[in-house]
Amino acid sequence: MSTPALPGPTVGTFAAEHLSPAYPERAARGTASKLRAWQAEALDLYFEREPRDFLAAATPGAGKTTFALRLAVELIARRVVDRVTVVAPTEHLKRQWADAAHRVGLRLDPGYSNGAAWGGRRFHGMAVTYAQVAVRASLHREITESARTLVILDEVHHGGDALSWGDAIREAFERATRRLSLTGTPFRSDTAPIPFVTYAPDEKGIRTSQTDYSYGYGRALQDGVVRPVMFLAYAGKMRWRTKMGDEMEARLGEGDTKDVTAQAWRTALDPGGEWMQSVLKAANTRLTEVRHSIPDAGGLVIATDQQAARAYAALLTSITGEQPTVVLSDEKESSRRIETFSEGDSRWMVAVRMVSEGVDVPRLSVGVYATSASTPLYFAQAVGRFVRARRRGETASIFVPSVPTLLSLASSLERERDHALDRERDDDQLLDDGLIDEENREDSASDQLMDEFTWEAIESDAHFDHVLFDGDEFGAAAFTGSDEELDFLGLPGILEPDQVRELLRQRHARQQRRSSTKPTEEKPVALYRTLKEQRTLLNSLVGMRSKISGEPHGLIHAELRRVCGGPAVAQATVAQLQARIDYVRRGLRQ
């Protein structure tokens, strides 16, 4: 069944040379009647080739929706296609696509459910989710084949989320007249192939995704299309009890093993600890400063699970006196909450993991990354919630745990990546999300019967570590609430990137001058060296006692753990090792 062409004149493409790179200044949510330079450039490239498949990778906030809808309008006006099907990751994004399409005269049905009657001439097409297609791929194949169809695959990397999803998408849209694939992050953290994406071997023979048009964060930043991001890293000391009953201690961000880092990270995110309270207070202070220049600026806390999200919301209520918006799932009520928050001027929103990729809340200016996810894909999508520029001079501020994994991702934010099928799984040397997921997993009843203890966060503290901006570090360790911390939290809300860099440089220098006037203290020995020396000394003392008493080394170490507490030597802290050393020495002197 064919659909009538859109009313009004044909929308033509045009060269981008006469436009400024960021023209127009704001093209959010599919509302622009004129195109940004990159959008016009991508359209010109498309119509030079008229391909059946086209993959456009543009950084979050650059205007992929505007580009895709303009292309859809053009293809319908040229009578290349009669119908448009948008496939989005979430229910909320279906409605967001339909709203944006309505503003350019394209009618999409976001309420279509599998098996329901098709809207016919009332709509130019529909918006569905990947999960919806996966449930009844054959139905969507019939709909696709019943008219010349343009399929827009939004955040197409989700097509590789599950083997069944990829197979379903191929079955449903194999016969589509045209396919436009969109992504803000043209890579996955695994090696699952993405449907309708072309892979070709690179110089090393690794099959890598081939993007037809790419507009990365670095270029968008130069064009003024997106905001620069300032990452404020917070460290601190963490103590927790393992499932074996051993107490562990580590400093967040130091070079520990992956499992120790995962557990220290989990301890930091505990709502009952001082770390989260201190970071939320600091983030709220930063938001207040930003709101002096941008009165409707909002903040977003990205939580790992619903329980943590509710607890963070309670902390924010006590800090601000205002109850934040809480988004816990991809439901209609959650969509309404996001829309209400986006259109209002309240301070904070708390979401589980993240407000879904592509969700447009342009007033978000301050974020707290309080989740355990650490893959490049997830981190890039999360940061993408804060980079949507509304006017020049806006800078996003994101608070992160001082964990090497996250800081590495933050420093390489401008690096463009492709999706490789044949790489090693750990080529990025990143923290495996599975380690943290395992730490966050609730114990089942059978697990509790086998384990004498459950994992427990004991205490945490926080201190400002440094600011990461444009690949450089500024500032040094400072107590929360100190003048040194407030120097960085109090940056004006509206500044050009070069002004941000200059102010950060000045405040870094001022912090160094303050430090030089304080009494010098003996610099502590590196933690790894202290631990090594303590272990060596303890083992030597245990050996001496073993020679005198005839007891095996193992029994002596077991006695030391029983008397002094703490885990095995390999996991013990400096303080725990020192307590055992003192105990053995007292025994040898008797």
Side-chain angles (χ1 to χ4, degrees), residues 146-332:
S146 66
R148 293 176 299 177
T149 301
L150 165 67
V151 176
I152 300 174
L153 297 164
D154 185 26
E155 305 296 355
V156 69
H157 50 268
H158 281 286
D161 281 354
L163 179 61
S164 59
W165 281 29
D167 292 343
I169 292 165
R170 290 186 183 88
E171 178 184 351
F173 305 122
E174 183 65 39
R175 303 291 295 275
T177 303
R178 296 286 175 90
R179 288 182 293 260
L180 172 63
S181 298
L182 304 173
T183 182
T185 46
F187 55 88
R188 290 180 57 84
S189 299
D190 55 26
T191 56
I194 303 170
F196 307 124
V197 170
T198 300
Y199 293 87
D202 62 10
E203 64 279 1
K204 296 181 180 180
I206 297 174
R207 291 174 295 163
T208 306
S209 60
Q210 305 298 295
T211 305
D212 296 290
Y213 185 87
S214 180
Y215 187 68
Y217 176 76
R219 183 179 164 196
L221 191 61
Q222 292 175 355
D223 291 348
V225 170
V226 296
R227 299 170 180 162
V229 181
M230 181 171 65
F231 293 94
L232 296 99
Y234 278 71
K237 184 175 70 175
M238 309 294 146
R239 280 207 309 130
W240 65 93
R241 181 176 292 109
T242 70
K243 294 178 182 179
M244 299 303 295
D246 296 327
E247 287 191 11
M248 300 281 288
E249 181 179 302
R251 299 199 67 83
L252 194 65
E254 294 188 343
D256 288 304
T257 61
K258 285 187 175 182
D259 59 333
V260 170
T261 298
Q263 294 181 69
W265 191 347
R266 179 185 179 185
T267 303
L269 300 182
D270 176 45
E274 182 186 328
W275 193 92
M276 271 306 304
Q277 296 182 48
S278 298
V279 170
L280 289 177
K281 287 179 182 177
N284 189 62
T285 299
R286 177 62 187 152
L287 181 59
T288 297
E289 186 62 44
V290 173
R291 284 170 74 98
H292 290 325
S293 304
I294 310 171
D296 69 338
L300 169 65
V301 179
I302 302 171
T304 297
D305 54 45
Q306 295 190 10
Q307 182 179 356
R310 293 188 181 97
Y312 297 158
L315 287 175
L316 283 171
T317 301
S318 65
I319 292 169
T320 66
E322 177 185 314
Q323 189 169 356
T325 298
V326 181
V327 180
L328 300 179
S329 60
D330 181 35
E331 299 173 346
K332 290 183 179 180

Side-chain angles (χ1 to χ4, degrees), residues 8-19:
T10 298
V11 179
T13 59
F14 51 89
E17 285 78 2
H18 65 289
L19 297 176

Side-chain angles (χ1 to χ4, degrees), residues 326-346:
V326 181
V327 180
L328 300 179
S329 60
D330 181 35
E331 299 173 346
K332 290 183 179 180
E333 179 61 31
S334 296
S335 294
R336 285 193 290 270
R337 290 177 182 173
I338 294 171
E339 291 168 1
T340 300
F341 180 84
S342 180
E343 296 166 2
D345 62 356
S346 58

Side-chain angles (χ1 to χ4, degrees), residues 46-123:
Y46 183 92
F47 285 107
E48 283 175 9
R49 297 165 45 194
E50 294 272 359
R52 186 181 181 199
D53 282 293
F54 191 85
L55 172 60
T59 189
K64 293 187 296 297
T65 302
T66 298
F67 162 71
L69 292 175
R70 191 61 168 267
L71 177 60
V73 168
E74 179 72 18
L75 289 176
I76 291 178
R78 295 187 181 198
R79 300 189 183 279
V80 175
V81 300
D82 305 310
R83 182 182 297 160
V84 178
T85 296
V86 174
V87 188
T90 67
E91 293 288 330
H92 179 82
L93 280 182
K94 289 195 323 184
R95 289 182 284 276
Q96 187 167 294
W97 269 96
D99 290 341
H102 176 74
R103 287 188 284 270
V104 296
L106 192 65
R107 300 185 299 277
L108 298 180
D109 179 12
Y112 177 78
S113 60
N114 290 348
W118 163 236
R121 298 174 69 89
R122 292 187 296 118
F123 294 103

